[in-house]
Amino acid sequence: ELKVEQNPLFLSMQEGKNYTIYCNYSTTSDRLYWYRQDPGKSLESLFVLLSNGAVKQEGRLMASLDTKARLSTLHITAAVHDLSATYFCAVTVPTSGTYKYIFGTGTRLKVLA
Amino acid sequence: DTEVTQTPKHLVMGMTNKKSLKCEQHMGHRAMYWYKQKAKKPPELMFVYSYEKLSINESVPSRFSPECPNSSLLNLHLHALQPEDSALYLCASSQAPQSGHNSPLHFGNGTRLTVT
């Protein structure tokens, strides 16, 4: 059974601090996605990582992918309150001629002023 | 503004009601998805349509019935639901699967369903 696990599940951090969220997955997948979800809202795509060693950066967020270790990281630099949200990673699994997108357990991030 | 439109935004229905959720996208995407999300949980895949054909049904109870009338529209028909079916129902779309699965999902804003 495919498992996509994130840790930590909940993260409370001070503004200005750095931290990393980890996403481990149990299947061979060379595509990984990061999404953000604000409370009561839908999911917004942040990053698409397409190959081993891929690194993407947008503002204070940087995502990387190690397909050999089946691990992706989302690094937060100098956190600000606006980054408070739930972050999900997702992997794709080929199934029945199409692809499933399976989401990780999620990390609820709270940035304290 | 989201490019995937879901209606209604909120729906309250009794256990004997029949209702439908609607989803529309005009991005030319040929794969469309229904996800169910409970509070503080990740989205859980329900159905996948690829080129208007149902490709994946994640063992969803028959009280949920999906329909894809054309490449832009996706419906979810609801009948005889249970209170535990109350959740946020998210529609998503992506580029044609055969073109490569490097396309992220584009989500609608969801329908918040309450079953009484």
Side-chain angles (χ1 to χ4, degrees):
Chain A
E1 182 188 344
L2 169 62
K3 289 186 178 179
V4 185
E5 296 179 332
Q6 293 179 230
N7 73 82
L9 296 182
F10 182 76
L11 175 57
S12 179
M13 58 190 297
Q14 297 289 330
E15 277 193 331
K17 298 293 187 183
N18 304 332
Y19 208 81
T20 300
I21 298 170
Y22 297 88
C23 171
N24 290 272
Y25 53 98
S26 63
T27 188
T28 52
S29 176
D30 57 0
R31 303 288 189 269
L32 191 128
Y33 308 81
W34 282 96
Y35 291 85
R36 168 182 171 143
Q37 186 175 35
D38 291 297
K41 303 290 186 183
S42 189
L43 284 86
E44 172 192 358
S45 176
L46 293 175
F47 299 109
V48 179
L49 302 169
L50 299 179
S51 61
N52 186 41
V55 177
K56 294 278 186 73
Q57 182 161 7
E58 180 74 32
R60 301 174 188 274
L61 299 178
M62 183 173 71
S64 66
L65 178 62
D66 181 344
T67 57
K68 294 179 181 177
R70 299 183 186 176
L71 171 69
S72 180
T73 61
L74 181 65
H75 186 74
I76 303 156
T77 301
V80 293
H81 180 71
D82 285 351
L83 290 179
S84 297
T86 299
Y87 293 85
F88 292 101
C89 62
V91 298
T92 52
V93 178
T95 307
S96 303
T98 185
Y99 294 93
K100 295 184 184 184
Y101 290 68
I102 304 300
F103 285 82
T105 45
T107 297
R108 289 177 61 205
L109 171 65
K110 186 172 184 179
V111 181
L112 306 172
Chain B
D1 288 339
T2 183
E3 296 172 346
V4 178
T5 303
Q6 288 188 245
T7 56
K9 292 183 180 179
H10 301 274
L11 178 62
V12 179
M13 61 185 291
M15 289 189 283
T16 58
N17 291 158
K18 286 185 181 181
K19 297 286 184 183
S20 296
L21 308 185
K22 297 185 183 301
C23 175
E24 188 169 4
Q25 59 89 13
H26 294 289
M27 294 179 283
H29 290 171
R30 301 308 296 273
M32 296 186 77
Y33 309 75
W34 281 114
Y35 281 85
K36 171 183 177 180
Q37 188 179 27
K38 302 282 265 186
K40 296 183 171 57
K41 296 291 186 184
E44 181 182 329
L45 182 64
M46 299 175 72
F47 303 103
V48 181
Y49 273 84
S50 176
Y51 294 95
E52 297 90 70
K53 290 189 179 352
L54 181 63
S55 298
I56 297 174
N57 176 344
E58 291 286 88
S59 302
V60 178
S62 60
R63 57 186 184 267
F64 295 91
S65 175
E67 178 195 21
C68 189
N70 60 55
S71 60
S72 299
L73 295 174
L74 185 66
N75 299 321
L76 186 63
H77 303 298
L78 314 172
H79 173 54
L81 295 192
Q82 304 297 310
E84 59 265 29
D85 296 322
S86 298
L88 179 67
Y89 288 83
L90 292 162
C91 172
S93 69
S94 70
Q95 291 177 357
Q98 283 76 359
S99 72
H101 55 300
N102 57 341
S103 167
L105 293 176
H106 295 254
F107 282 90
N109 286 331
T111 294
R112 189 159 299 282
L113 174 67
T114 303
V115 182
T116 61

